Amino acid sequence: MDEPKVGEEPSVMSQALSKQKTLSRYVEVETWKHRELTDLQPVMRGIESACRGIATLVRRAQCDEIAGLHGNDGDMNVQGEVQKVMDVLANNILAASMCAPGKMDYVASEEEEEPTYCSAVLQNAAFQGEYAGVFDPLDGSSNIEAGLPVGTIFGIYRRPQLNLSPERERDPLEAIMQPGSKLLASGYCLYGGQTILVLTLGQGVHGFTLNKPGGDFILTQPNMRIPARGQLYAINEGSSHLWEPKVTEYVRRLKLGEGEGNVPHRTAYVGAMVADVHRVLVEGGVYAYPGTVDAPNGKIRLLYEANPMSMLVEQAGGLSTTGRQRILDLKPTGIHQRVPIFIGSKEDIKDLQALLKD
Ligand code: AHG
Ligand code: MN
Ligand code: MN
């Protein structure tokens, strides 16, 4: 096939796109079309390879005795959560893979208190890049021992060009302290019955399935669009006694299908955001992790969980909100800050926004 060239007619480009089948080909073509993304190619190759590697680890976790806690009694991460061996392994794989030499400046992970500079990972001070990455290396890691789905979430920012006066210090973390609306790319890998990588480079959402262990990611779900209204909701109902009354009322209306155009929703909760949001993306509906009386910001972390997922869902035609503000508009205040989140089908989320306005 002739290589498409920048500036070629859209029809030629879309023919080329329709013929591509693998993730690496898709990234190649997209980054030809959008020259500002060209340097993302090696970063995406790293992420693809990390997802392959983590998929293999997840499948072998019990046999290779890498399921279970990290450290004797379970080490804690910065958020006071017990780390699993697999959390740590997945974290190290992603950090090393995403640090494409000369492209990535630093990566910030759920499992590390501070961002890791790629120059340190690559042991070469010259390797400073224009991008910064955020990730949750293993999402839903409490599912590992039960053999249930887990995932990886990632997002990529460009370092902003700021016109700072010489006396003002440059914030080394300025790239990831931007609102999620500045994300260049985001995605997740779902390690379930199949290994699926869902990606947006800001031009729609595409799903790729790993054809065999260590093999290629094949474009299986091009142009994913979330239905405007769904029939399921994913929420930890065990905390319902701690929700604000309007959230309780919203979930009641979802169940009964009350309100104009609404339909009864069933519950479906895996307990791994990647798996739950993936189902919502495919079938429509709502994933929510609201605030509670004892944790007003809920549990989901803004930088490496809420933002990348919100970009994907919005790119697929859905909405994502704290209930009162668009998630992607929030200005981060800390690497590990948490936010309440309601994400999914446009009409389902609009119902919540209307209810909270009253
Ligand atoms: P992680 O394993 O990365 O800490 O994330 C788990 C998160 C999220 O994936 C999931 O939706 C939520 O925790 C489940 O929490 P509950 O068990 O409180 O429902
Ligand atoms: Mn997570
Ligand atoms: Mn995690």
Side-chain angles (χ1 to χ4, degrees), residues 67-79:
L69 302 181
H70 188 255
N72 288 338
D73 300 318
D75 292 341
M76 295 281 184
N77 67 15
V78 59
Q79 298 158 72

Side-chain angles (χ1 to χ4, degrees), residues 77 81 87 110-111 135-141 151 301 304-305:
N77 67 15
E81 293 169 346
D87 285 320
E110 175 187 341
E111 303 302 336
F135 59 79
D136 174 355
L138 203 61
D139 172 66
S141 56
R301 277 62 53 110
Y304 41 80
E305 294 178 316

Side-chain angles (χ1 to χ4, degrees), residues 339-351:
V339 277
I341 184 168
F342 298 82
I343 180 169
S345 291
K346 194 180 244 173
E347 297 305 322
D348 285 339
I349 299 294
K350 277 187 180 168
D351 286 348

